[in-house]
Amino acid sequence: MVRFGLARTTAAVAATLALVATGSAPALATAAPAAADDAAVRTALQQVLAAGAPGASVVVSDHLHDHGRSKEARRSLAVGRADLNGTPMHADWRFRVGSNSKMFAAVLVMRLAEQGRIDLDKPLRDYLPQGMLPADWNITGRQVLEHRAGVYDHTDDLLEQPGEETTAAFEKRIRNNVYDPKDLVALSVKHGLQYPAGTKYSYSNTDFVLLGLAVEHLTGRPYAEVLREQILEPLKLRQTSFVVPEKKIAGAHVTGYLTNDDRTKPLLDSTEQTASWIWSAGAIISSAADLDRFLTHLLAGRSGGLVSDESLRQMTAVLPTPTAKVSYGLGIREIALSCGKVLGHGGIVQGYQTQSFATPDGRRTVVAFANASNNGAVTQALTNVLEPAFCGAAPKSLAKRNVPMAREDARF
């Protein structure tokens, strides 16, 4: 069982403790992993603040199965501020999850595949509106899910320059602009395929915009409706929503801050934005508790109610990426920690970043969060929270080692 004590530092610190027992969750493992390293988790969160985030939090959930009843033991720790007005960070408040949205899109696509409505090994253009992709683009749905299709990332055209989230670009092209997802694809298509499909890995947000459009085309319904009816409502994810192009985050939420490229300038409140520039690839709003519930049900396969055991096998059949110890499957990332591999995704969108991962058997889920972006030091520090949260006390040889961070996480 994970235990976090209260800590007092110069930054505001808030901690919550919850133990939930339910008989409705899928049957999981019989025992939780070894306890997290309390002091190391707390130190890791403080490093996130030192790197430039106003606040950070982590929620660690252990899922047990005892005498026919599924139970969840959840511990959370929040440090720093939820906003620059001094409000303490809250681990249970809502935030923008960024590319964690890709796991939700992948589930919707896998469900369509299970119904025989899409063949992942046939050209994706056959499942999109006619003419959206060139006739000679034979990229498959599977290659797109794996980021191995060679599709240019349209976001590189919207940001100030590839890989940056400058405040100027945000105000000019992101915060208030409303993009049609078809136009986002058109931005990508004009660049042509970047390499022969299937020959390498290259992360592209356009991949998951294409998948969202395929969901709409095959169902004849708006993406937000399909997402709500097939995932959010069945799992009772009441803090999760997809509201593009509405700019506000309803209910209690953390304020997000975009770090200026000129570090001498103040952080920019980037909470309100249409998120249409990223759409199905990154526009979901959620909470740590909801992300935990989603991941738990996803990794339970058929018994979790989201995808079949075979679909889960395919999603978690990962391939290497250019980053050592980081692999990617069908909308799911795998990171190798000192105690084993974890599955999930990272997510960065202006002002927010999240690392949501679980052990492959679903026994432990960790959701780490910070309310600052455009800062690689914050991203690395947040990723480092995973090691003590999953593995507990580390050998001295590992104590100061960075957790592998996907190259794209240095971007958004």
Side-chain angles (χ1 to χ4, degrees):
M1 183 176 295
V2 181
R3 176 177 55 82
F4 292 124
L6 286 171
R8 295 290 178 185
T9 68
T10 54
V13 178
T16 57
L17 182 71
L19 178 62
V20 181
T22 173
S24 60
L28 297 166
T30 57
D37 185 334
D38 296 7
V41 169
R42 212 159 20 244
T43 298
L45 287 178
Q46 292 297 336
Q47 289 300 313
V48 179
L49 302 192
S57 64
V58 65
V59 175
V60 181
S61 301
D62 284 329
H63 303 277
L64 318 173
H65 191 63
D66 183 31
H67 302 295
R69 290 180 60 83
S70 294
K71 298 179 181 180
E72 180 180 274
R74 178 177 297 155
R75 301 294 184 271
S76 62
L77 178 65
V79 303
R81 298 167 292 170
D83 59 49
L84 295 183
N85 294 325
T87 305
M89 176 63 79
H90 287 259
D92 57 347
W93 282 8
R94 304 180 75 215
F95 49 82
R96 297 186 184 277
V97 307
S99 287
N100 286 280
S101 304
K102 291 179 173 65
M103 293 189 289
F104 291 77
V107 165
L108 295 179
V109 172
M110 298 308 292
R111 290 170 67 93
L112 288 169
E114 290 171 13
Q115 298 165 14
R117 301 172 74 177
I118 182 172
D119 186 330
L120 297 182
D121 296 309
K122 290 185 177 180
L124 183 63
R125 66 169 186 272
D126 294 345
Y127 306 101
L128 291 165
Q130 188 172 6
M132 180 170 290
L133 293 182
D136 60 347
W137 280 30
N138 294 317
I139 59 175
T140 68
R142 189 178 306 279
Q143 291 166 338
V144 171
L145 281 162
E146 295 172 334
H147 294 300
R148 294 176 180 271
V151 175
Y152 178 85
D153 192 336
H154 73 275
T155 65
D156 287 346
D157 284 0
L158 299 180
L159 302 176
E160 191 71 18
Q161 53 185 304
E164 293 189 0
E165 298 180 70
T166 62
T167 52
F170 175 70
E171 297 290 13
K172 183 178 180 180
R173 292 187 286 272
I174 304 300
R175 186 194 290 277
N176 298 307
N177 291 37
V178 178
Y179 296 96
D180 187 312
K182 295 178 182 178
D183 292 336
L184 301 180
V185 172
L187 283 175
S188 172
V189 169
K190 72 179 183 180
H191 290 272
L193 288 177
Q194 302 300 289
Y195 52 83
T199 61
K200 61 183 290 188
Y201 170 92
S202 182
Y203 192 86
S204 172
N205 288 285
T206 312
D207 286 334
F208 279 76
V209 172
L210 282 168
L211 294 169
L213 286 167
V215 169
E216 288 197 336
H217 184 65
L218 292 172
T219 63
R221 306 185 62 193
Y223 183 80
E225 288 185 10
V226 180
L227 176 70
R228 184 180 65 251
E229 293 178 7
Q230 296 199 22
I231 299 179
L232 308 189
E233 290 179 350
L235 265 57
K236 296 181 173 58
L237 303 183
R238 297 187 176 91
Q239 292 184 299
T240 305
S241 59
F242 184 92
V243 297
V244 176
E246 294 179 21
K247 294 196 296 183
K248 295 182 180 296
I249 301 178
H253 62 274
V254 179
T255 300
Y257 293 96
L258 179 60
T259 308
N260 201 298
D261 284 346
D262 180 351
R263 297 303 198 252
T264 66
K265 295 182 179 180
L267 299 174
L268 174 69
D269 183 341
S270 52
T271 307
E272 293 190 7
Q273 52 183 286
T274 69
S276 68
W277 77 293
I278 202 76
W279 200 55
S280 54
I284 284 178
I285 298 166
S286 190
S287 67
D290 273 12
L291 286 175
D292 161 44
R293 186 170 180 82
F294 170 76
L295 258 180
T296 301
H297 280 259
L298 173 56
L299 294 179
R302 181 180 62 83
S303 64
L306 285 180
V307 298
S308 68
D309 291 341
E310 172 57 21
S311 289
L312 178 63
R313 185 196 65 77
Q314 294 183 48
M315 294 177 76
T316 56
V318 297
L319 294 171
T321 74
T323 305
K325 298 185 178 181
V326 176
S327 303
Y328 206 91
L330 305 185
I332 289 182
R333 182 175 294 149
E334 178 189 272
I335 298 178
L337 302 176
S338 67
C339 58
K341 297 173 180 179
V342 293
L343 297 166
H345 217 289
I348 304 179
V349 68
Q350 289 90 352
Y352 301 90
Q353 52 184 298
T354 315
Q355 297 290 336
S356 305
F357 284 87
T359 54
D361 60 9
R363 289 188 298 173
R364 175 167 293 171
T365 302
V366 174
V367 180
F369 167 79
N371 59 338
S373 69
N374 196 33
N375 185 329
V378 169
T379 303
Q380 183 63 72
L382 188 68
T383 307
N384 287 347
V385 175
L386 298 177
E387 178 70 28
F390 276 110
C391 302
K396 290 184 178 180
S397 62
L398 295 174
K400 296 183 179 181
R401 186 176 298 176
N402 285 334
V403 172
M405 186 178 75
R407 290 184 181 181
E408 55 268 17
D409 276 356
R411 302 175 63 208
F412 32 83

